[in-house]
Amino acid sequence: MEKTDGNVSESGNEMTLDSVRDSLIRQEDSIVFSLIERAKFPFNSPTYQESHHSSSIPGISGSLIRFFVKESESLQAKAGRYQNPEEHAFFPDELPPSLVPPHTFPLVLHPAAASINVNNKIWDFYFNKFLPLLTVPGDDGNYASTASSDLTCLQAISRRIHYGNFVAEVKFRDAPHDYEPAIRAQDRDALMKLLTFEAVEEMVKKRVAKKAMTFGQEVSLNSTESQGKYKVDPPLVSRLYDEWVMPLTKLVEVEYLLRRLD
């Protein structure tokens, strides 16, 4: 996936492939730590039930998680979070304008990047497929804390996946002649093939599993007690990347490259 051999001159608004790779690696840390925090709570299904809170609390319509994410994004939008091209809201059509002076971010990406948002896909896989694997069944009543942990996970995963815009940009700048024929032909399959590096993907899966082992190991003064006990299942973190994070990142890359010559 993220093949990052070589360099793009880092001057003005340009980046290096190495700097992009380093950012992706740091984002792995954020994702693993957020999963560890979410795994502290059981599944807590009332957090996600459409009717559990909306019928009893004025101002809440739908599920608590939807309310929590919308309200959190609204506050963060007022503080300027979504001026950053690395950030993508889950409910972008309902954001208020920023109240803080705008920061001038480097103009690295093609303007088409602003219209690429796969958060609906992230929302779907996270709640319907991944979360039941991450958490144990049960209900401890900590619904607000659960929603807060979910939001942290969602935003970390979203940032990582949408960073595919930057990955695609530096790859294109490094070898435009490799990508231009497929872009002009609007050939998604050819672009996906150009962007896929199985050896790199295997390395990423092994690295995130190792991070889950390192960051999530149960610590005990008696080393034999904690051996093999982890707060998050390392193979599950590897599966998260294999089945969802890396495929959706490449989807973002393809969507970006298809519009790169517009």
Side-chain angles (χ1 to χ4, degrees):
M1 196 196 68
E2 290 87 11
K3 186 179 182 182
T4 51
D5 314 345
N7 287 286
V8 175
S9 173
E10 190 166 21
S11 61
N13 62 359
E14 293 187 321
M15 304 175 295
T16 66
L17 288 166
D18 286 340
S19 70
V20 169
R21 178 199 60 201
D22 290 344
S23 178
L24 292 170
I25 291 173
R26 290 195 301 272
Q27 290 179 56
E28 293 169 3
D29 300 351
S30 299
I31 290 174
V32 172
F33 281 122
S34 71
L35 298 179
I36 290 172
E37 286 299 301
R38 177 58 185 91
K40 292 193 304 188
F41 304 103
F43 186 73
N44 281 340
S45 61
T47 310
Y48 316 108
Q49 293 171 0
E50 292 294 326
S51 61
H52 187 82
H53 298 277
S54 59
S55 60
S56 58
I57 303 177
I60 295 185
S61 60
S63 65
L64 178 62
I65 185 62
R66 189 172 293 269
F67 170 80
F68 191 96
V69 172
K70 282 184 178 181
E71 292 297 312
S72 298
E73 288 189 338
S74 177
L75 175 61
Q76 291 170 357
K78 292 177 183 178
R81 180 181 183 124
Y82 298 106
Q83 295 178 14
N84 186 337
E86 296 182 20
E87 301 289 353
H88 294 71
F90 283 84
F91 299 97
D93 297 334
E94 303 182 37
L95 297 180
S98 173
L99 301 179
V100 302
H103 175 76
T104 303
F105 289 93
L107 296 176
V108 173
L109 300 176
H110 186 282
S115 64
I116 299 172
N117 189 322
V118 298
N119 276 339
N120 60 329
K121 297 181 184 297
I122 296 172
W123 186 281
D124 177 63
F125 90 70
Y126 178 81
F127 289 112
N128 295 324
K129 298 176 182 177
F130 180 72
L131 192 58
L133 302 174
L134 176 68
T135 58
V136 297
D139 182 348
D140 66 1
N142 287 302
Y143 307 136
S145 296
T146 295
S148 178
S149 294
D150 282 327
L151 176 60
T152 303
C153 290
L154 287 169
Q155 290 181 329
I157 293 170
S158 174
R159 187 183 184 113
R160 167 60 174 77
I161 288 172
H162 287 99
Y163 208 76
N165 288 317
F166 293 89
V167 175
E169 177 63 23
V170 294
K171 286 179 177 179
F172 177 84
R173 292 188 192 186
D174 198 42
H177 53 279
D178 289 345
Y179 295 96
E180 285 179 357
I183 295 172
R184 296 188 191 284
Q186 293 291 284
D187 190 335
R188 294 174 179 273
D189 292 338
L191 287 172
M192 185 64 74
K193 186 174 181 180
L194 285 168
L195 295 167
T196 299
F197 301 93
E198 293 182 359
V200 176
E201 294 182 7
E202 287 300 317
M203 180 181 66
V204 170
K205 289 190 292 182
K206 290 178 181 178
R207 186 171 62 232
V208 296
K210 187 170 183 178
K211 287 184 177 183
M213 294 173 65
T214 303
F215 303 158
Q217 186 170 5
E218 295 285 356
V219 176
S220 171
L221 295 178
N222 184 341
S223 59
T224 59
E225 287 183 9
S226 60
Q227 193 169 14
K229 294 181 179 179
Y230 305 106
K231 298 181 178 73
V232 173
D233 183 31
L236 179 61
V237 181
S238 178
R239 182 178 172 185
L240 169 66
Y241 268 73
D242 182 38
E243 294 189 17
W244 299 296
V245 171
M246 292 192 292
L248 284 176
T249 302
K250 288 190 290 186
L251 174 64
V252 168
E253 293 180 49
V254 168
E255 292 300 320
Y256 180 84
L257 288 172
L258 285 171
R259 309 171 201 187
R260 180 59 177 77
L261 299 178
D262 292 353

